[in-house]
Each structure stands twice: as C-alpha cells, then as structure tokens.
Amino acid sequence: MRNIAVLLVLLMTSCSSRKEAGHVFDYFHQEKPKEIPQIFAPNVVSVQGRFEMGFTISPNGKSIAFGVAHESDPSATCIYLMNFDNGKWSIPDKTFLPDNINTFFPMFDPTGKEFYFVKSIENLETDIWVASRLKNAITNPRPLNSVINSESREAGHGKSKSGSFYFTSNRDDKYQCCGDIFMSELSEGGYLSTKRVEALNSGADEESLFLSPDEDYIIIQAWKQEFDSKHDLYISYKSKNGLWTKPERLDTAINGKEIEQRPFVSPDNKYLFFSRMHVVSENGQEIYESDIYWVSTRSVFGPYPYNVVSMPEISFNKPFEIQLPDDLFRDVNGAIVSYGVSLEYEDKLPEWINFDEKKLLLTGIWESEVSRDVVITAYDDDGNKGVVNIPVTVKNN
C-alpha cells in the first residue's frame, strides 16, 4: 500500500499553483500527461483498492469532486470534495454534502454556482440532484423536477452556459435495457419538456456524458462493444445548423479493453479525465478496481465539419468556381493549418481542378460527366484531421 499520509502532507503544504486562461489550476505537481492516459493524483484521488468513478473541476479550478463506490456498503458510496485555498488542497471531505450516501457522478455547472450529482434513495432508481454552491460551501441539495427525473434510472448529465441540460435515462419503454441521451432547454418557466437526441443515440447503452459549456461538443460513454472493448468514449460536435455529428470513437490509447466511463474535460480544454475500470487478481479472486485517469486533449479534439454548404450545380465541360466558407471546419483547441482536396475514389485532384488553399476557392473546367463528391480534409497543428464529403451534381447541357 502506498504511503497516503506522507503524500497528503506534501501536497497540502505546497504553495505553488499555475494560472491558465484566467483560471487557477493546481494538479498536485504531477507531470502533465501527453497521448497516453495516466492515473490522476495517486493516493489522493485515485487510491489503490478503492473504486473511484466520476470527476469534476469547478470553473475557477479551485474545487474538485470525485465519486467513490462500494459494492456492499452504501454509506461508502459517496462523493468527496477538495478545495484549493491559500496555496494548498484540503483533505478529501465527504461531509460537505448532507446525507452523502449512494451519491454518484458529481458535476459543477459552467457558472460554478451549482453542483449536480446523482443519488439513489432506499436502493430505488437514481435521480439527478442539484445543490447550491457559494464560497466552496454546498447547500440545499434537492432532486430536479419530474420533467428530468422519471421513474426510471437517470445518470449522466451536463449543463451548458445557455442552460441546455443533457442527461441519460432509461425512460424509453422501447429501450429500457439501455440508457439514451435526452435534453431539455431552459425557458422562463424552467425545464418544461424533454426530447430524445436521436443523433447521439444508438442501439447501445449510452450511460454517461460530458457536455462542453458552450454546447459545441459532447463526449459520450457508450457500450457498443467495438474493437474487442466494452464501454468506450465517443465524441460528437455540433455544427452551425445546430445538428450533432455522428459520434466517433476516441483514440485507442484512451479506449482500451477496459471499461472507460464518466468523461470530464478540464475548464481550459487541455485535459480529458475519465474513469477506467479493470479487473485485478488478488489472493486468487478477481477484484474490480477503478481509478481516475487523465490525458492531453491534443489527440481528442480535431477539425470537424461546422458549416457544410451545398455545392452549386456544375455544367459539364464548362468553367466553374466554388467558394468554400471560411468556417467549413472548426477545432476546439487547435488551429487549422492546412487543407487537402481530392475527388471521391481518387488520391488527388485532377489537373482540371485548381484549389487556392488561402482563399478556399475551387476553380477550373469540370471534365467529369458524372456527379462526384469533393473530399475536403482539414489538418490542425496537433496533426489531427477532419474530413467532409460534399456532393457535386453535374449537369449535361
């Protein structure tokens, strides 16, 4: 067993911190992870032999909360809070939340004034709760209304700056075996209705999520059993017309054969946190253990189609000019540095098409008699790429 007491003393007596993008973030003096996920805060947040799942950081970086589960002791299934004050972190505390039993999945809202979590009472299905937060104190915990909470299980949840609330639920009679993603828009009267977000759901179990404060991307935990894995993390982006892109599985360095779940992205968008559950053998018995991991988002975010326009009809063997929009692609935390263009089923552009990369302008004389897709690829400064296919209809005069 690692020496928890010594490490806690060292961390609590430290006075250094780091300021990024207007927020204070202190990551316990750990070496920052790159493309390979690392256990976060060993012996403090991630403790050997303990089952941690769910993690969140307040918008100002001065509070963190994480969940701990226990298979047979409900009182040990709870949420811990740590506050950063006067250059040091407080000891993990579970007394901050009244009746902190059978509580899960903590999440601060984008203002830092609300604290959301999931709770089960008397072993009934879990509901989503909210509490008020002022000067690091959590008060007045209460369940959300019956629009959000149903008689079925509600679990993953996230709130945007505009007030949109996304959550997972087993309320759909057709898919009660599996959780699906629903959302509710905030109105003057509060949350009055919900709708199932079809673009984010599948036949699999969507169990938890992280919604970006600007509602421009969402990371989903889904049990699709792809690539010999179980629960994996997927990302979807919202386009200019308000539609979500098809969720794409994150890098294999993040999604392994273990169970990856409970995603959270740091307020500066630099680090992805998630829980990884694996099986360890101890005294001839299989024991499930879960730790909090973190990894750089350099391989998480890439260029994504944002403003995809319809191509004008083009005449065969006639001059054409196609202006692509400047915001055809976006990137959450990187800069788009170059583009590539080709025709569908070909590696490069034919000589009769010119592409001005600076102006995003396609010109030439269209020499194909059949309709084709123009394939546009954007590359960011982290080496990631995004691709969009835009159909071109050819008119024969």
Side-chain angles (χ1 to χ4, degrees):
M1 181 66 69
R2 291 164 283 185
N3 194 328
I4 300 175
V6 172
L7 184 56
L8 274 173
V9 170
L10 289 174
L11 293 174
M12 292 173 62
T13 56
S14 167
C15 293
S16 67
S17 61
R18 178 168 60 95
K19 191 169 184 178
E20 295 179 357
H23 303 286
V24 175
F25 298 96
D26 184 286
Y27 292 118
F28 304 101
H29 303 290
Q30 298 172 99
E31 182 178 352
K32 307 305 183 293
K34 297 181 181 178
E35 291 76 16
I36 303 300
Q38 304 294 326
I39 292 179
F40 180 75
N43 304 317
V44 179
V45 174
S46 300
V47 175
Q48 187 176 4
R50 193 172 69 179
F51 198 100
E52 296 93 17
M53 60 175 186
F55 179 86
T56 185
I57 304 174
S58 63
N60 66 1
K62 293 186 177 182
S63 296
I64 63 174
F66 58 93
V68 171
H70 196 285
E71 184 177 4
S72 59
D73 183 2
S75 65
T77 297
C78 57
I79 297 171
Y80 286 86
L81 179 72
M82 299 178 69
N83 293 316
F84 189 77
D85 190 27
N86 294 324
K88 61 182 181 181
W89 283 104
S90 63
I91 293 175
D93 173 35
K94 66 177 184 179
T95 66
F96 78 100
L97 186 64
D99 196 22
N100 190 1
I101 299 174
N102 271 336
T103 53
F104 314 83
F105 315 156
M107 191 72 67
F108 292 101
D109 86 314
T111 68
K113 296 179 180 179
E114 293 178 330
F115 181 77
Y116 289 85
F117 59 98
V118 170
K119 183 177 178 66
S120 172
I121 296 179
E122 297 181 350
N123 294 320
L124 297 177
E125 298 287 2
T126 56
D127 285 331
I128 301 173
W129 288 52
V130 64
S132 302
R133 175 176 178 264
L134 179 63
K135 295 182 179 179
N136 295 334
I138 306 296
T139 61
N140 189 28
R142 67 264 183 205
L144 298 185
N145 65 24
S146 58
V147 172
I148 304 296
N149 288 321
S150 68
E151 294 182 356
S152 298
R153 178 177 186 266
E154 276 72 45
H157 49 91
K159 185 178 181 180
S160 72
K161 292 177 181 176
S162 67
S164 296
F165 195 81
Y166 287 66
F167 62 99
T168 63
S169 175
N170 291 54
R171 69 183 59 196
D172 194 324
D173 291 337
K174 186 178 179 181
Y175 303 101
Q176 278 199 343
C177 66
C178 304
D180 286 313
I181 297 174
F182 293 79
M183 70 88 65
S184 183
E185 294 179 347
L186 185 63
S187 65
E188 291 184 2
Y191 295 108
L192 304 180
S193 64
T194 64
K195 62 181 179 181
R196 190 172 183 268
V197 189
E198 299 295 339
L200 299 178
N201 292 314
S202 66
D205 179 23
E206 280 79 27
E207 209 276 339
S208 66
L209 58 84
F210 172 77
L211 178 70
S212 72
D214 292 323
E215 203 175 339
D216 53 348
Y217 70 87
I218 188 169
I219 298 178
I220 303 163
Q221 169 197 347
W223 196 357
K224 297 185 179 183
Q225 300 191 50
E226 297 178 336
F227 307 98
D228 296 322
S229 61
K230 295 183 179 180
H231 278 92
D232 283 335
L233 301 180
Y234 294 76
I235 189 167
S236 173
Y237 299 96
K238 181 174 278 191
S239 62
K240 190 172 185 176
N241 60 9
L243 300 178
W244 289 102
T245 63
K246 180 181 178 181
E248 297 288 339
R249 185 174 182 264
L250 294 185
D251 189 277
T252 53
I254 296 172
N255 287 314
K257 292 186 177 181
E258 302 90 351
I259 293 179
E260 284 77 31
Q261 52 189 347
R262 322 293 182 231
F264 174 80
V265 177
S266 59
D268 56 11
N269 272 327
K270 291 189 175 183
Y271 303 104
L272 167 67
F273 295 81
F274 61 94
S275 305
R276 173 175 284 171
M277 188 178 78
H278 52 278
V279 181
V280 297
S281 181
E282 187 173 301
N283 299 325
Q285 292 184 330
E286 289 188 342
I287 299 175
Y288 289 90
E289 182 164 347
S290 179
D291 291 308
I292 307 297
Y293 282 73
W294 65 325
V295 65
S296 169
T297 55
R298 292 183 63 180
S299 60
V300 172
F301 301 124
Y304 65 94
Y306 178 68
N307 183 19
V308 180
V309 295
S310 299
M311 291 287 195
E313 195 174 62
I314 291 177
S315 297
F316 169 63
N317 214 22
K318 295 289 182 66
F320 71 90
E321 179 177 297
I322 300 173
Q323 178 66 63
L324 301 174
D326 291 338
D327 57 354
L328 178 62
F329 287 91
R330 274 192 175 180
D331 197 296
V332 172
N333 67 343
I336 297 173
V337 295
S338 64
Y339 295 88
V341 181
S342 64
L343 287 185
E344 189 180 18
Y345 310 121
E346 296 184 18
D347 294 332
K348 60 182 180 179
L349 276 179
E351 294 181 353
W352 42 271
I353 298 180
N354 302 309
F355 176 57
D356 187 324
E357 187 173 357
K358 291 184 177 180
K359 296 180 179 180
L360 294 182
L361 182 66
L362 290 163
T363 58
I365 296 177
W366 196 269
E367 295 185 8
S368 174
E369 296 186 67
V370 297
S371 298
R372 305 282 294 278
D373 281 4
V374 173
V375 182
I376 304 167
T377 305
Y379 301 88
D380 68 12
D381 51 358
D382 290 322
N384 303 306
K385 69 177 182 180
V387 180
V388 64
N389 285 35
I390 303 181
V392 171
T393 302
V394 177
K395 178 175 62 177
N396 290 285
N397 296 327

